Amino acid sequence: MELQLPDFFLADLPDGVELSVSMIDQACDRLKENADQYLKNRTTSQLVHSLCQLADNWLDPEFPFRQKLIEEGPAQSGFSLDVLMDGMDRMFQQWKPDHFEFWLVQEFGHAERIDYLASNRLEARENKSSRARGPRLITHICSGNLPVPCIMSMVCGLMVRSAQFIKCASGASYIPRLFAHSLYQHDPKMAACIELAEWKGGLEPIENILFEKSDVVTATGSDKSIEAIQSRVPRQKKFLNYGQRLSFGFISKKALSGLGLRRLIEDAARDVMIWDQQGCLSPHVYYVQHKGVVPAEKFAELLAEELERYRLSFPRSPLSVEESAAIRSRRHFYHVRAATSKDTLPFFSNDGTDWSVVYEDEIRFQISCGNRFIYVKGVHSLDEALHGAEPIQHKVSTVALGAADDEAEEFALQIAQWGAPRICPIGKMQHPPLHWRHDGKPALAELVQWTDWEL
Amino acid sequence: MNENLNEFGAQLTKDMHSWASGQLRDEEFPFDTRALDLFRLQYQAVTPYQQWCNQSGISPQSITSWNQIPVIPASSFKQLDWTSIPEAQRVNFFASSGTTGEHRSHHHHGKESLIIYETSLLASFERLFLSMTNSQSIAFRFGFLVPPSIDVPHSSLAHMMETIRRKWDSQNPPTYLSHCNSSNLWVLNEQKIRAFFHKISENPSIPVCLMGTAFSFIHLLDWGGTERLSLELPPGSVILETGGYKGQSREVTRVELHQMIASTFKIGLDKIVTEYGMSELSSQAYRRPGSPPNPFCTPPWMRIRIINPEDGREALTGQTGMIQIFDLANVYSVMALETQDLGSSWTNGFELYGRASTSEPKGCSLFESGLSSGFIH
């Protein structure tokens, strides 16, 4: 039976219905009342339990919302079915009570900090307890490249018991909306504290009332969009922003020499495949150390072979003409360079732009055009790789590390000192844990205000 | 080697003259034969091109039609000297416009190649531009919204205007209405513009031919508005607008620009022609005025192919793809180029949608796709 979504959110309104200032105004008031009534008195464990149940539902092949996503998601999101479901499943698999507990303790020092004046062991020794309060209303301005961050924004707001207005990017509300409806069916009171709407950013009258009514505004997107939003959020409101970021990997010669080589190549290809390299955690470059048993050039070739396997098992999403043209132009550039320089080796899929690997014996970081276009660059050391990445140092999100056990800690320390907010194994780049500090910032702790009780 | 190219060039210029005078019809020009001949010569004479073709497994013996000739990316003029002209015989090069620090392409020219360039240009201007504007003669008062070519010797656009001026306006003092400022940007020469429009008002019986880039027209319209200067042109005046304006001025759509031009200069929309050319080519395409917009037309020695960028195959009529240009007037370099522009083909020409670029950041992820936008060469 076909699943019909009721008109529950503003995003459900038919095309052509224009949002008005009073609609937004009223929605904000209603959200606040609902959160006061339905959310404030729920315990953390009740909320976590409900969300984990919902995630289990989503992972169940029979779940009607999952089936609807399978049916309509590719056309609505532009991602191929395999890429989309792989990315969504990876997110829901993270939603386990112990992961939530770890996350809450990491953020607040105690899992029930939102529930009551709580003390951890050290605080009890100091006769102190504290409680954290979420803002009454959060507005999340979400970017359109991936659906996961938008859904995770909703989870963050629920964890701190805030009413939330989710403003989806133009053309990107389908998956967040489907998730919100699944929440509505599963836990209507929780869903009643969330509003969801879609419009092309910059509708000032609507956005101004939204900012006015909110206590906290979060924004994810391009630096240009964030700057534009920030200039309009009133000063007394808290503004949290997550601008443009990019990621890369470093693979040491020892990692290339061990028995795990096959696995390493698979993992490196997977990081390129997940979400078709559209996320800020996707790699643009793999720096590969020279003088391993497998030379860096050979690594590029093996990576290309692995991406070819993924082409068949996890086809890339169809591209717009502009996206294909960007890849084609870039491939041309490297074809010409390879014709005149031995330092460049291009490996490209046949009959299409499904994947592209460019090996370069040149350390300077290169920004990819995405859609499975990856650079492999030979380096002599991690120092050299970090030196090559200096131009984008302030924009780095994740550095994936492929290293032998006896050297990993030293490398990780060096990368941490360099300033990367996140270090993870190769293969886990687009699979951050629930407790991941987004761009190095605590996702929940940034939202709350504290009350300390000193005894 | 270049003797064969000289011979080819001599025959081509002869055809250009015949076509310009109406003696040679479009369909009489043997494009396919000429293209295959030129490919054979360029394969021999342009060493990197031969390597490029060999990499693709294509040689003059292996193909039978012009549309099998291997194309080179137009952007690769930034990387390689695609030329058969020995260094000692090069007299100039045309460079792509670019921002400071960015690599610019070099399309080398010698004495012979410039003659072909100029012949091609003048033939198309006479045959296409004039007929498109229903102009009876070339007795215009010319105004060029570019700096004099002597100040910007590597600009193919300025060279184009200078060639037109020498041919049809050599009796009058040059009327270059722009100049380069201290940052090397093209800006309006306000004094000259005032003098130009003053002369027009003194003798409004001579129609004007005003030529410039889209951004120079926007600057002129904005400046004229601020200065409250009448920019009215005499009846029969025509406009040739060329080039983009990204980053050089406020951006308006081409339709808006043409409407602004028509209302400010008090001329009909049917007197505004758009030109499409680039420093890597030696011929230009022109768009006949009209609404809805007409496709671009080329002289018979220049053909367009639209390629689906995903699989490299020829796109269907009306389908958007990347523009490939086969310009036989590129005798001494390489005639077959793939641009980074998107367009579509129509039965009587092609439509241009502009530069393919996904350089706009997508959400929180940082991408730079256009080869000219931050991609580090």
Side-chain angles (χ1 to χ4, degrees):
Chain A
M1 198 178 73
E2 202 186 325
L3 180 69
Q4 296 293 332
L5 303 183
D7 288 351
F8 188 71
F9 301 103
L10 290 173
D12 298 324
L13 290 171
D15 287 346
V17 177
E18 277 192 25
L19 297 174
S20 66
V21 170
S22 67
M23 281 160 88
I24 304 293
D25 192 17
Q26 286 165 19
C28 290
D29 290 341
R30 195 188 61 242
L31 284 173
K32 287 180 189 175
E33 286 163 20
N34 289 351
D36 289 346
Q37 202 177 341
Y38 304 134
L39 214 48
K40 298 288 186 225
N41 298 323
R42 299 276 283 270
T43 65
T44 298
S45 72
Q46 282 169 342
L47 286 171
V48 167
H49 180 71
S50 186
L51 287 172
C52 292
Q53 263 186 342
L54 181 59
D56 286 345
N57 292 346
W58 268 97
L59 293 167
D60 177 355
E62 301 300 318
F63 188 48
F65 287 95
R66 181 187 181 85
Q67 288 174 344
K68 193 171 176 70
L69 181 65
I70 288 171
E71 201 179 306
E72 298 175 356
Q76 292 281 353
S77 68
F79 287 107
S80 71
L81 180 64
D82 295 307
V83 168
L84 175 63
M85 296 315 292
D86 173 77
M88 295 298 284
D89 286 353
R90 281 167 194 274
M91 175 185 69
F92 287 123
Q93 281 157 3
Q94 284 284 323
W95 295 19
K96 298 289 177 204
D98 51 346
H99 292 167
F100 273 98
E101 186 186 357
F102 185 96
W103 184 23
L104 290 157
V105 172
Q106 176 185 280
E107 299 275 325
F108 299 134
H110 194 289
E112 291 169 323
R113 200 69 91 174
I114 306 281
D115 303 34
Y116 57 92
L117 281 159
S119 311
N120 61 27
R121 196 170 50 82
L122 280 174
E123 288 163 340
R125 204 171 66 191
E126 293 290 319
N127 284 332
K128 182 192 170 186
S129 59
S130 308
R131 184 177 182 183
R133 282 185 320 282
R136 201 157 174 232
L137 176 64
I138 306 174
T139 286
H140 297 291
I141 313 273
C142 298
S143 66
N145 52 332
L146 298 184
V148 167
C150 185
I151 294 173
M152 285 311 301
S153 295
M154 290 188 224
V155 172
C156 288
L158 289 170
M159 295 316 295
V160 298
R161 318 291 198 276
S162 297
Q164 300 179 81
F165 196 110
I166 315 289
K167 187 262 167 206
C168 296
S170 181
S173 69
Y174 176 80
I175 295 173
R177 188 176 143 233
L178 200 57
F179 172 77
H181 275 281
S182 74
L183 182 67
Y184 175 63
Q185 193 203 53
H186 172 73
D187 194 331
K189 290 183 174 173
M190 218 191 306
C193 307
I194 294 175
E195 183 56 274
L196 203 84
E198 171 189 328
W199 65 80
K200 191 169 165 33
L203 277 182
E204 291 201 14
I206 288 180
E207 290 171 7
N208 289 348
I209 185 79
L210 195 52
F211 298 155
E212 191 55 47
K213 289 270 180 175
S214 302
D215 304 289
V216 172
V217 177
T218 79
T220 308
S222 70
D223 291 349
K224 202 173 141 194
S225 319
I226 283 178
E227 210 174 293
I229 296 163
Q230 186 160 23
S231 68
R232 293 176 29 231
V233 174
R235 271 168 186 237
Q236 67 274 25
K237 310 287 178 178
K238 192 188 258 188
F239 181 68
L240 304 173
N241 66 84
Y242 301 93
Q244 287 157 252
R245 294 278 172 162
L246 36 71
S247 300
F248 65 93
F250 171 77
I251 294 165
S252 78
K253 60 183 176 191
K254 274 195 185 176
L256 287 169
S257 310
L259 292 170
L261 176 67
R262 184 77 259 153
R263 174 77 191 275
L264 182 73
I265 304 279
E266 280 171 22
D267 288 344
R270 189 175 309 117
D271 278 335
V272 177
M273 177 277 286
I274 295 176
W275 291 118
D276 287 334
Q277 228 180 349
Q278 295 296 307
C280 52
L281 306 179
S282 300
H284 289 248
V285 175
Y286 284 122
Y287 284 107
V288 177
Q289 199 175 11
H290 285 305
K291 296 189 177 165
V293 171
V294 173
E297 298 89 327
K298 183 69 182 168
F299 174 86
E301 192 182 334
L302 294 171
L303 181 63
E305 286 171 14
E306 196 59 34
L307 285 169
E308 173 60 15
R309 271 189 276 279
Y310 272 124
R311 182 181 72 82
L312 303 168
S313 58
F314 275 85
R316 193 201 53 196
S317 314
L319 300 188
S320 67
V321 175
E322 287 80 3
E323 287 171 313
S324 296
I327 295 175
R328 186 173 166 89
S329 294
R330 204 171 274 232
R331 282 181 167 194
H332 271 323
F333 179 87
Y334 288 105
H335 265 312
V336 175
R337 180 175 272 185
T340 56
S341 159
K342 287 197 174 88
D343 295 339
T344 300
L345 294 171
F347 303 93
F348 299 148
S349 59
N350 292 322
D351 298 327
T353 62
D354 298 87
W355 55 263
S356 315
V357 179
V358 172
Y359 174 81
E360 279 189 302
D361 209 2
E362 134 81 82
I363 64 164
R364 190 154 53 153
F365 191 89
Q366 196 61 263
I367 298 174
S368 165
C369 52
N371 291 311
R372 305 193 187 182
F373 194 117
I374 183 77
Y375 290 91
V376 174
K377 287 171 174 280
V379 287
H380 292 97
S381 62
L382 175 60
D383 264 339
E384 203 174 57
L386 296 178
H387 179 58
E390 264 169 23
I392 48 97
Q393 189 172 8
H394 61 298
K395 287 281 173 199
V396 166
S397 174
T398 292
V399 177
L401 179 59
D405 291 346
D406 61 350
E407 57 183 2
E409 191 174 339
E410 198 182 316
F411 285 146
L413 186 64
Q414 205 178 334
I415 297 167
Q417 277 171 347
W418 186 72
R422 175 174 170 243
I423 306 163
C424 73
I426 304 280
K428 300 278 188 194
M429 295 181 81
Q430 267 294 355
H431 188 25
L434 205 55
H435 54 78
W436 168 53
R437 292 189 173 105
H438 191 169
D439 298 345
K441 292 183 270 195
L444 299 175
E446 290 233 288
L447 295 171
V448 300
Q449 294 279 324
W450 289 84
T451 301
D452 290 339
W453 182 24
E454 297 149 20
L455 290 168
Chain B
M1 189 61 60
N2 274 8
E3 279 173 24
N4 294 331
L5 289 170
N6 291 346
E7 207 177 298
F8 181 93
Q11 178 60 48
L12 185 65
T13 48
K14 217 171 122 190
D15 289 341
M16 288 170 173
H17 285 300
S18 302
W19 178 76
S21 63
Q23 288 165 345
L24 180 75
R25 292 201 304 269
D26 280 32
E27 60 275 18
E28 288 171 338
F29 182 80
F31 185 87
D32 208 7
T33 318
R34 289 286 166 77
L36 289 169
D37 285 348
L38 183 56
F39 172 54
R40 187 168 40 82
L41 298 174
Q42 291 184 338
Y43 179 85
Q44 296 298 334
V46 185
T47 314
Y49 186 53
Q50 188 176 103
Q51 289 170 353
W52 177 258
C53 295
N54 290 346
Q55 268 193 345
S56 336
I58 293 177
S59 70
Q61 291 74 40
S62 68
I63 63 167
T64 54
S65 168
W66 68 272
N67 55 23
Q68 296 168 298
I69 295 171
V71 295
I72 58 163
S75 61
S76 66
F77 276 79
K78 292 173 184 170
Q79 297 167 276
L80 285 177
D81 286 338
W82 298 104
T83 186
S84 62
I85 305 168
E87 252 182 282
Q89 292 174 25
R90 297 176 195 168
V91 295
N92 196 3
F93 64 86
F94 292 146
S96 54
S97 53
T99 51
T100 315
E102 190 185 311
H103 284 254
R104 299 171 73 193
S105 63
H106 282 40
H107 188 192
H108 293 288
H109 281 283
K111 227 168 65 194
E112 290 82 4
S113 69
L114 280 178
I115 291 171
I116 298 170
Y117 176 94
E118 290 164 10
T119 310
S120 170
L121 154 66
L122 295 173
S124 297
F125 187 79
E126 204 173 343
R127 182 81 188 262
L128 296 176
F129 176 69
L130 291 182
S131 76
M132 285 178 179
T133 52
N134 294 317
S135 303
Q136 303 305 317
S137 74
I138 308 184
F140 291 117
R141 183 194 299 279
F142 282 90
F144 306 103
L145 284 164
V146 295
S149 66
I150 197 162
D151 294 344
V152 283
H154 304 305
S155 159
S156 57
L157 186 63
H159 185 82
M160 172 182 160
M161 308 251 177
E162 172 63 9
T163 306
I164 290 169
R165 189 195 71 75
R166 279 203 318 256
K167 171 81 177 172
W168 286 300
D169 197 35
S170 57
Q171 292 81 9
N172 302 313
T175 45
Y176 287 104
L177 307 176
S178 295
H179 61 123
C180 288
N181 69 7
S182 54
S183 314
N184 232 11
L185 289 173
W186 294 13
V187 292
L188 301 179
N189 188 329
E190 297 172 9
Q191 201 186 341
K192 293 217 163 161
I193 293 173
R194 279 183 203 283
F196 182 69
F197 280 93
H198 182 67
K199 275 198 168 173
I200 293 171
S201 64
E202 279 182 343
N203 186 355
S205 62
I206 309 170
V208 167
C209 176
L210 192 56
M211 306 164 72
T213 58
F215 74 81
S216 67
F217 278 106
I218 295 175
H219 288 166
L220 177 59
L221 298 174
D222 286 351
W223 176 77
T226 316
E227 298 287 309
R228 297 173 177 275
L229 192 71
S230 164
L231 300 179
E232 187 171 342
L233 296 179
S237 295
V238 294
I239 300 284
L240 185 123
E241 166 264 310
T242 182
Y245 34 52
K246 205 163 179 60
Q248 299 264 23
S249 69
R250 66 195 170 90
E251 290 184 30
V252 297
T253 67
R254 186 143 266 138
V255 173
E256 284 168 345
L257 175 64
H258 285 197
Q259 278 162 352
M260 283 157 55
I261 287 174
S263 76
T264 307
F265 295 126
K266 304 273 191 301
I267 59 165
L269 283 167
D270 61 342
K271 297 291 182 188
I272 307 167
V273 170
T274 305
E275 181 259 3
Y276 173 64
M278 55 183 73
S279 61
E280 297 86 354
L281 294 173
S282 303
S283 303
Q284 300 79 29
Y286 293 86
R287 186 212 290 278
R288 184 183 292 279
S291 179
N294 283 304
F296 279 88
C297 300
T298 57
W301 53 89
M302 183 188 197
R303 282 198 185 172
I304 303 294
R305 223 175 141 222
I306 307 293
I307 290 299
N308 177 347
E310 187 53 37
D311 58 15
R313 296 195 178 94
E314 190 159 353
L316 301 172
T317 303
Q319 210 172 47
T320 303
M322 296 180 90
I323 298 177
Q324 292 187 343
I325 299 177
F326 296 75
D327 179 13
L328 303 192
N330 260 11
V331 173
Y332 296 87
S333 51
V334 175
M335 68 157 136
L337 304 184
E338 182 168 310
T339 70
Q340 289 179 296
D341 290 327
L342 290 178
S344 60
S345 67
W346 298 93
T347 43
N348 54 347
F350 71 99
E351 181 54 277
L352 170 72
Y353 304 125
R355 178 62 58 97
S357 171
T358 52
S359 60
E360 282 297 302
K362 291 174 158 190
C364 59
S365 184
L366 188 62
F367 284 104
E368 306 235 52
S369 301
L371 287 172
S372 57
S373 56
F375 172 49
I376 307 158
H377 292 182

